[in-house]
Amino acid sequence: MAKARQEKEALLRADTFTNAPKVSRRTLTKEERQELVKQAEAKNKEAEKLANTAARGRFGRWWARLQSGPDKVTWGMAIVALGVVYGDIGTSPLYTAQTFLSGQGGIGNADREAVLGMLSLVFWSITLITTVKYVLIAMRIDNNGEGGIFALYSLIRRYGAWLAIPAMIGGAAFLADSVLTPAVSISSAVEGLQTLPPLEGLFNENPSLTLMITVVIIVVLFMVQSRGTESIGKVFGSMVLIWFSFLAVVGIVNLSNDWTVFAALNPVYGIQFLFSPHNAAGIALMGTVFLSTTGAEALYSDMGHVGRGNIYFTWPFIKIALVFNYFGQGAWILANNRNPEYTTMKTLNPFFQMMTPNVRYIAVILSVTAGVIASQALITGAFTMVSEATRLNWMPHLQVRYPARTRGQLYIPVVNGVLCVATLLVLALFKDSEHISAAYGLALTITMITTTVLLAVYIWHDRHRVGAIVFLLVFLAIQFMFFIASMAKFLHGGWFTMLLTIAILFVMYTWNEGTKLERAQRRHMQRQDFLPTLEKLHGDFRIPYFADNIVYLTSDNIMKRLDTDIFFSIFADHPKRARAWWAVSVETTDEPFTREYEVENFGTNFLFRVRIRLGFKVSQSIPAYLHQIMHDLSKTGELPQQKSLYPKVDADPNIGTIRYVLIHKALMPESKVSARGALSLSVKYAIRHVAGSPVKWFGLAPYNPLVEVQPLFVSTRRPPRLKRTERIDRDEPITANIPPVK
């Protein structure tokens, strides 16, 4: 008897040799409690500050209302906004005027009419596109604080199925441009090192050095994305503040000699020069002007990262600095358009030439930093766009991490890796910024056009129909000119952007079509449909247990029903009898540290629907949480005791064996589905295979989960009936009707 007891204890003490997936008794970790305490203290301080401010009169009450709404402004996040949002806009002064002079045939052809015309077009493009369209109009239209074309589509998709077309096209174009921006901005900034006299010999001896430095910077930039945009933004924010201050000061220094260039604030100068015979570039001039607005779409997409109020607070400073710098470059061009030193220069960049040599060193260093920051703006925007596309079921559900304190700041490992590889591919194909710039911007004009269409639809249904028509006509006219001008670069590199856009669009379209087909066949069973059969199987002792607990992961969050896929998985082939079946769904909440669960047992002790709600910063350790739930239900008597005599992987002797099952769908060969539908499903399943599966996300890989494939139950074509023939012995030679050999 004593020997048997010792053997039993030895078997049950398997957890001394391995670690069971246990959970703590507390619902928050020490770090999480400290973080919540800090947040509570910050809120209390903010509340006290607002209370004191509100007592100071009308302005104080206005400020208190502002700080309690969605337009809240904080100094810390304002600095983050500078670093995350404005990088792409901040690099445009580096090459806009240079491209203008190249199109005019050199500085000698840039007379007062041309300079004032260019400055007028730049100023009013920034004012109308960036300030009016995006800052004043688009940013007022958000989806729970999130911006971007997909968030906008989510608000208006109920007004028509056709709206998915411009949304998909615009989103694909934005993601394509997210690949090109890091390549062109960083490479152009690094190439500025070649203008420094001490480094000229080094770069001449090593022509590929610029490319190598660019590759290193890009790889490092993508590696630090996992730390979150808040930590990156704080570092970059200070640099952007210095950069735009530098832009303003340099511009003002050159303006001090000729303030008359501010006559270009009159839009007539721009319109006259655009259609003037002295405009050597023709309509392609608008492609140059467009470079000054390239960061506007990223500004809208990054709104969820930093908050709308912080962008409102910082944008006036950004625009003033840009205007001073552009107009300062214009004043320098007018002062030197007859200078023989510059009229014979092959490549002239007014941005660097208008500075003294000593200041130019600072400019090159800051421009390299600004190029990195410009890339950051597009990368964070791409994360937001993919996250929104996932919610719309236009892309696979990827693993998302939230490294910062707010849910708006996210990191998607798969997207980060794809962007990094694609950006390095662009560098390998085009080598330098001159060739990359030929492909740059074309896709973004498409995004701007589609965003305009969606904004107009929203304004129309918001009972401002006249305003919607005016908005649509004005901004489409401007942006179509940008598009036509950008198409001039199609054969010189724009083809790559369009090819990339089409590839991303193909992924989104096929994933959406495949999802529609799958949802069309999805069925659910009510309690009276599945319970009698499951109850009979549970008590059928002729069938051995497949496992003590069989756990199915499902995307269905409704607790009172069961997915037919789960039901047929239990009864497919040999019935999977178990002591308990579990259908588990996982929901991510908007709060950071939520840990909750609900259970529906349908009045049984063998079938459980579980909904686990986890905060967006909580690790989705499903095995550990399921063990806790099983222990909780065992203590309350809802789940019968499952003492496990033999050791098992999870080393938990108080819970029986657990088998996780994931169900994938497959199209049957005889399915009655169009060729387009079959292609969409095939592409979707291929993408899902590459993107990864919930096995990894939920930490199930160590527990040997079972992945089942079930047919997709769309209608099928009935093949013709076989005709029975008389049996022929294949082993005997057939000689009938064979003529004799002569």
Side-chain angles (χ1 to χ4, degrees), residues 222-292:
F222 280 103
M223 287 177 63
V224 301
Q225 292 301 313
S226 60
R227 299 184 61 186
T229 56
E230 183 174 7
S231 58
I232 296 172
K234 287 179 179 178
V235 176
F236 284 174
S238 302
M239 295 303 301
V240 169
L241 183 62
I242 296 171
W243 170 249
F244 277 98
S245 300
F246 178 80
L247 292 180
V249 170
V250 170
I252 291 171
V253 169
N254 285 273
L255 278 169
S256 61
N257 299 321
D258 186 6
W259 291 94
T260 62
V261 293
F262 276 101
L265 296 178
N266 186 344
V268 173
Y269 284 98
I271 297 172
Q272 288 179 344
F273 178 66
L274 181 62
F275 300 102
S276 169
H278 298 291
N279 176 15
I283 192 65
L285 175 67
M286 293 302 291
T288 300
V289 173
F290 175 73
L291 296 176
S292 65

Side-chain angles (χ1 to χ4, degrees), residues 63-74:
W63 182 254
R65 289 195 301 271
L66 178 70
Q67 291 297 84
S68 60
D71 297 336
K72 179 181 178 180
V73 179
T74 62

Side-chain angles (χ1 to χ4, degrees), residues 51 58 67 79 95 105 127 133 248 293 356 370 407 412 467 534 540-541 572 587 592-593 599 603 654 656 664-665:
R58 181 178 299 176
Q67 291 297 84
I79 295 296
Y95 42 75
T127 300
K133 176 187 171 183
T293 66
T356 62
R407 181 165 184 176
I412 306 176
L534 287 175
D540 191 345
F541 296 99
E587 179 182 334
F593 305 127
V599 178
N654 296 313
H664 289 173
K665 309 295 285 186

